Amino acid sequence: MVENVTESKELERLKRIDRMKTEFIANISHELRAPLTAIKAYAETIYNSLGELDLSTLKEFLEVIIDQSNHLENLLNELLDFSRLERKSLQINREKVDLCDLVESAVNAIKEFASSHNVNVLFESNVPCPVEAYIDPTRIRQVLLNLLNNGVKYSKKDAPDKYVKVILDEKDGGVLIIVEDNGIGIPDHAKDRIFEQFYRVDSSLTYEVPGTGLGLAITKEIVELHGGRIWVESEVGKGSRFFVWIPKDRAGEDNRQDN
């Protein structure tokens, strides 16, 4: 009886993974097609109407092409990171970094996108800057941008005073980064699964909210490669708080911890 129950649970798990992969393939096909279609359409318009377009319109069209090209590049980079994650070959290169500067850089990078969704992006530090730690600045910036992007994308559409906030603090000999929002929140049944590959909380949002469903899985891997951990507190309709704890020195290197 125990063997039959175990086999049944394993079969259900495999079926669930297969469904998630099928949704992922459909989603990523849509995600890749959208920027390619835009790039092609605007490039063809420029080619066919080059003599008729004024400089202002030409500049506007080229800006769309550049923006969509950057979006496509980000999608491909995420897929490349996922491939590395699957092969266990995702690596970090540590150096001494001021996290205050790094957070400000990520906040500034996301502001234009946030503004298009009427979301304010804020940063506050509960400890004096600079806050130095041995980290991979490129990868931790990627973590910050993933969490900030999610905070913006899952904001409540018509709510006033929408915000995403980064709070920097210190805890247990390490650095604590909190990314807080007042968005749609995460239901209890999904909190333990949002860091899984391919998982998206609500498949009905797949085409409404852009993304591959890999961002949080990659984020978790990066944090754990630093010897840190990531967890979430959330309430539906009120928002979410993602916590990222990373050791300040190299002591946490190769010391992965489960969420």
Side-chain angles (χ1 to χ4, degrees), residues 214-230:
L214 296 174
L216 287 177
I218 294 168
T219 292
K220 184 174 185 285
E221 181 76 4
I222 292 170
V223 171
E224 291 183 348
L225 280 169
H226 281 81
R229 60 193 183 98
I230 181 170

Side-chain angles (χ1 to χ4, degrees), residues 32 34 52 80 91-92 112 123 126 134 140 160 182 195 203 206 216 226 232:
L32 292 171
E52 304 169 15
L80 181 59
Q91 297 181 345
I92 60 172
E112 186 174 343
F123 168 48
N126 292 338
Y134 281 95
I140 294 301
N182 60 346
F195 298 104
S203 58
T206 294
L216 287 177
H226 281 81
V232 64

